[in-house]
Amino acid sequence: MTAAALSNWQTLLQSALQEGARAAQQRWVEFVGRIQQLGLIEPGEKTFAERQKETGYSSLYHGTIIDNHPCNPEGEKIFQHVEIHSPGIGAKVEPGDYIGIFPENDADEAAIILKLTGLDAHTPVTVTDRFPGWNDTTVTHTREMSLLDALRLKIDLVTPGMKMLELLANREVEGLPPLTAERQRALRQRLADGNRETIDAWRNANMLKDVLAGFYGIPVTAQELVDTREQLDQRRFTIAAMDGDRLSIIVSPIEYERTTQKLIADDPTFTRHMEGVANRFLRAAANGQELDFYIDPSHFGLPWKAREHGHALSRAERRAARQADMIFVGSGTGIAPYIPMMQELKEQGHSGHCWLITGNRTHKDLLCADRLEELRKDGTLDRISFAASREEPRRYVQDIVRDEGKEIWDRLQRGAYVYIYGDRVMGRQVMDALEQVAATHGGLDGEAARHWREGLEQTGHIQLHTYRQSMEFERAA
């Protein structure tokens, strides 16, 4: 046998052995999955801390947007479905987890900053990224790039930072235009007064471009522009669907108004209509847009999801959870985590009922309607209750909780789980509604109803996860 023939024979033999090993491993995985569904063995669960160490902020991934379309094209407020492809990411996430997106600034905003400063877009600058790492650590990464790339990818172009204000207030420049000199004196006095509340209100009312235009004539170098700016914040979105190497999120049109404060007494004020940076970036992204992201594990999830303290359900508890009813409550994008959670329930052989209580402005604004219909048809989702806040009679999800209180009380008495996800105000009102349910249908007084609700939270039968919808939250987006 020649050397070439021997080499070919060895290659074929190695390929056959590898293929056989892969097939055997796949059969073993299917076998283990099957007996886990039957409750014969406990699946290996990672604690929250273990998952955070493996997939947290310090682990960055790269993906490509492969689909971007409206969730509710006929709705009053259009939400966007964005699907991201990243090889191998499916093994890193669980239902309820977040994806942290690193957005890009609008190119027009970056061009305005360059024009106001008179700086060359190609000037090299050094940028230091700081990311929260695992266990309260900070991960830093320093690299060199062009000023234009730094303006688009790395620094916040919205709110002027304190370092920038101090630079503009204290830089001595001869021959400043009288109006600029007057603004500089006013800023210097404002900083010297040290009233942080007044200073922050002034900062939050004026954008970086307002300040640079108002102090035109005071030079700022390219590196100073980068060093005096806050890092462009990442924005977390709840993963709304998982399918192998693809993740989906729901992006809402976060819009708000911002009215400037006068730099000096005679300056005019005006109001801008603004959109969150990450929301604008994602809503405008075309298929093929590349982006960096991280996966942030969450405590929020199905009963058998390992939590921070490392508790894993016993075999009996897991069997009971697979038979328990699930009540999912969330308005608007608060529906997001429930799609993958219901998909996992289906895969786990869940035999209990699933009830989704959701809401939006109008019935045309029901998000993920196609996917919900699929889950309803295959028997995973038994019931949907919808509250429309802009249609008569106006209702909210907490109204449904109160109106359906008898049914919710009975299900909880039989071991059901209630999940509440979304805006903080909504979450608080739903929790209050649950206490009213306990009082009305369980005969508990105010104190007893509160203890009942807290007891269900401690056992995981009520899970609450809310966020704050505010200008600060939106601006960070």
Side-chain angles (χ1 to χ4, degrees), residues 1 34-35 43 51 57 74 128 139 144 167 184 213 220 251 313 316 327 401 410 424 438 440 463 474:
M1 182 180 292
R34 179 58 180 158
I35 62 177
R51 292 194 63 241
Y57 297 85
E74 298 181 358
T128 300
V139 179
E144 188 176 277
L167 184 152
Q184 187 182 50
V220 176
V251 182
L313 298 183
I327 304 172
V401 171
D410 290 344
R424 183 175 298 176
T440 303
Q463 285 194 42
E474 292 161 348

Side-chain angles (χ1 to χ4, degrees), residues 62-239:
H62 189 75
T64 304
I65 293 177
I66 59 174
D67 188 24
N68 193 346
H69 66 268
C71 294
N72 55 329
E74 298 181 358
E76 183 176 318
K77 183 179 180 182
I78 306 302
F79 293 76
Q80 206 77 3
H81 168 96
V82 179
E83 188 170 335
I84 300 167
H85 177 268
S86 181
I89 199 61
K92 303 291 186 180
V93 297
E94 292 182 3
D97 286 353
Y98 307 100
I99 179 173
I101 301 293
F102 294 87
E104 296 181 11
N105 283 311
D106 186 271
D108 291 340
E109 290 294 314
I112 290 172
I113 300 300
L114 288 171
K115 184 175 182 180
L116 289 171
T117 56
L119 296 170
D120 186 342
H122 303 291
T123 304
V125 293
T126 301
V127 178
T128 300
D129 292 320
R130 293 177 178 82
F131 306 115
W134 179 69
N135 200 21
D136 295 326
T137 60
T138 298
V139 179
T140 61
H141 178 64
T142 301
R143 56 176 164 164
E144 188 176 277
M145 62 180 63
S146 71
L147 176 58
L148 178 59
D149 285 343
L151 291 175
R152 290 194 58 209
L153 305 176
K154 295 299 178 182
I155 65 176
D156 176 19
L157 301 185
V158 181
T159 305
M162 284 297 297
K163 292 180 180 178
M164 172 61 74
L165 299 187
E166 291 168 354
L167 184 152
L168 294 172
N170 298 317
R171 175 148 291 173
E172 297 292 343
V173 181
E174 293 184 4
L176 276 179
L179 191 55
T180 302
E182 185 178 354
R183 288 176 177 145
Q184 187 182 50
R185 286 192 296 270
L187 175 60
R188 192 177 297 159
Q189 184 60 52
R190 181 178 283 112
L191 296 179
D193 291 342
N195 187 326
R196 193 55 192 252
E197 184 176 339
T198 302
I199 294 171
D200 286 345
W202 189 86
R203 288 176 56 236
N204 291 330
N206 291 288
M207 295 182 65
L208 175 63
K209 60 186 178 184
D210 300 327
V211 173
L212 292 175
F215 293 90
Y216 189 79
I218 300 178
V220 176
T221 68
Q223 192 62 53
E224 286 174 336
L225 182 59
V226 171
D227 291 344
T228 58
R229 301 300 307 123
E230 299 294 332
Q231 179 175 310
L232 181 60
D233 287 328
Q234 67 275 9
R235 164 74 188 279
R236 296 190 312 171
F237 294 84
T238 303
I239 296 170

Side-chain angles (χ1 to χ4, degrees), residues 279-354:
N279 295 69
R280 178 210 53 76
F281 166 66
L282 289 169
R283 287 164 60 80
N287 290 349
Q289 170 73 52
E290 297 184 353
L291 74 171
D292 293 324
F293 65 91
Y294 61 87
I295 298 298
D296 189 9
S298 168
H299 299 284
F300 190 81
L302 294 169
W304 44 81
K305 187 171 184 177
R307 294 177 174 82
E308 186 175 20
H309 49 70
H311 170 71
L313 298 183
S314 67
R315 187 177 303 168
E317 289 173 327
R318 180 179 288 272
R319 188 178 300 114
R322 286 204 189 96
Q323 299 169 354
D325 290 347
M326 305 286 168
I327 304 172
F328 302 116
V329 184
S331 60
T333 55
I335 199 176
Y338 300 141
I339 305 295
M341 287 170 71
M342 283 189 277
Q343 182 63 39
E344 182 175 337
L345 287 173
K346 177 183 176 182
E347 295 170 358
Q348 290 278 347
H350 178 252
S351 60
H353 294 92
C354 286

